Amino acid sequence: MKKVYANATEALDGILRDGMLIAAGGFGLCGIPELLLQAIKESGVKDLTFASNNAGVDDFGIGILLQTRQVKKMISSYVGENAEFMRQYLSGELELEFTPQGTLAERMRAGGAGIPGFYTKTGVGTVIAEGKEHKGFNGETYILEEGIFADLAIVKAWKADDTGNLVFRKTARNFNVPAATCGKICVAEAEEIVPRGSLDPDCIHLPGIYVHRVIQGQHEKRIEQRTTRKKEEA
């Protein structure tokens, strides 16, 4: 089975459609599938729902799809860096399912494991719990959260091989792995595709069984919040 494709457009060919639920990996601007997001933008598909830790920034990441009004709903835990997201949400143009960060990761992991739902204490007594089933365990109240079962998962890896085995670097591991597993189809982009057998099996973070298509590309290294200090005087 061929898994390596020439570019993002080819890798997404025959998959995209209006109204999809897409799980996107990455943490802030670290490890986001920027090439695949650009290809989704250029495809023109619309009415998309994204499950992602973040909504990118105004001109990068999922932010480019917000600019073109291709996203109808976000399932996210952090959206504070995107002014266009805020504008659309406050004006009623964009639906938001605000989800605590750990709960979002577990909802993705649960979907990947075939688990339809789980109970958690996170969000009890807040707006997060409104409309959700409550249940008591050992004298404590929990709320029911549903697993995320995405039509498509898009992730970005550091290294891949031609069978789809993936290695992520540092912070990029946070959401890429659970996002990848919860998609019916998973398309990955990597900084480098290495020969089969060259990845140490103990260092593989996501087995190729979860990955259907892979591309290699050049990636932009953005810093979401640059914090510096003045050079100390001699």
Side-chain angles (χ1 to χ4, degrees):
M1 177 182 175
K2 174 188 174 183
K3 289 191 177 183
V4 178
Y5 286 72
N7 54 57
T9 300
E10 286 189 15
L12 293 171
D13 183 46
I15 297 175
L16 297 176
R17 58 176 172 78
D18 293 347
M20 294 186 82
L21 168 55
I22 301 176
F27 188 82
L29 298 184
C30 175
I32 63 173
E34 61 201 73
L35 304 178
L36 294 167
L37 288 169
Q38 181 64 36
I40 291 172
K41 174 186 175 182
E42 294 171 357
S43 75
V45 290
K46 58 185 185 298
D47 296 327
L48 302 173
T49 297
F50 269 90
S52 173
N53 156 261
N54 67 96
V57 292
D58 289 324
D59 62 343
F60 196 62
I62 296 174
I64 63 174
L65 294 165
L66 291 169
Q67 288 181 333
T68 53
R69 309 294 196 277
Q70 290 171 262
V71 181
K72 72 171 183 179
K73 179 179 178 180
M74 288 293 306
I75 305 173
S76 291
S77 60
Y78 178 69
V79 295
E81 301 299 329
N82 195 313
E84 178 60 18
F85 178 99
M86 180 174 64
R87 189 200 66 76
Q88 289 186 28
Y89 173 65
L90 293 177
S91 65
E93 301 172 39
L94 180 70
E95 185 179 349
L96 170 63
E97 186 176 328
F98 198 59
T99 306
Q101 192 155 265
T103 300
L104 178 60
E106 182 63 9
R107 289 182 65 189
M108 290 180 175
R109 191 203 67 82
I115 298 170
F118 59 92
Y119 289 96
T120 176
K121 288 181 66 176
T122 305
V124 172
T126 74
V127 294
I128 299 296
E130 293 179 2
K132 295 178 180 176
E133 179 187 334
H134 289 60
K135 190 169 184 177
F137 293 91
N138 299 317
E140 300 284 348
T141 300
Y142 292 73
I143 57 175
L144 178 64
E145 294 282 1
E146 296 184 1
I148 292 175
F149 296 83
D151 300 304
L152 170 66
I154 54 173
V155 298
K156 189 244 176 187
W158 177 43
K159 290 184 179 181
D161 65 17
D162 67 324
T163 70
N165 292 316
L166 303 182
V167 178
F168 302 97
R169 289 196 76 232
K170 301 179 180 180
T171 305
R173 291 179 62 183
N174 285 7
F175 277 90
N176 272 300
V177 173
T181 63
C182 76
K184 294 177 183 177
I185 298 174
C186 176
V187 181
E189 58 186 74
E191 295 182 27
E192 182 182 7
I193 297 178
V194 300
R196 185 180 305 190
S198 62
L199 295 177
D200 182 345
D202 285 337
C203 295
I204 291 172
H205 299 132
L206 185 72
I209 190 68
Y210 290 104
V211 181
H212 300 83
R213 301 181 181 185
V214 182
I215 64 165
Q216 178 175 309
Q218 298 296 317
H219 296 86
E220 183 177 350
K221 302 289 187 179
R222 283 217 187 182
I223 298 175
E224 191 167 0
Q225 291 285 355
R226 185 183 296 274
T227 303
T228 60
R229 63 175 180 172
K230 293 182 179 181
K231 185 177 180 180
E232 296 179 0
E233 296 181 2

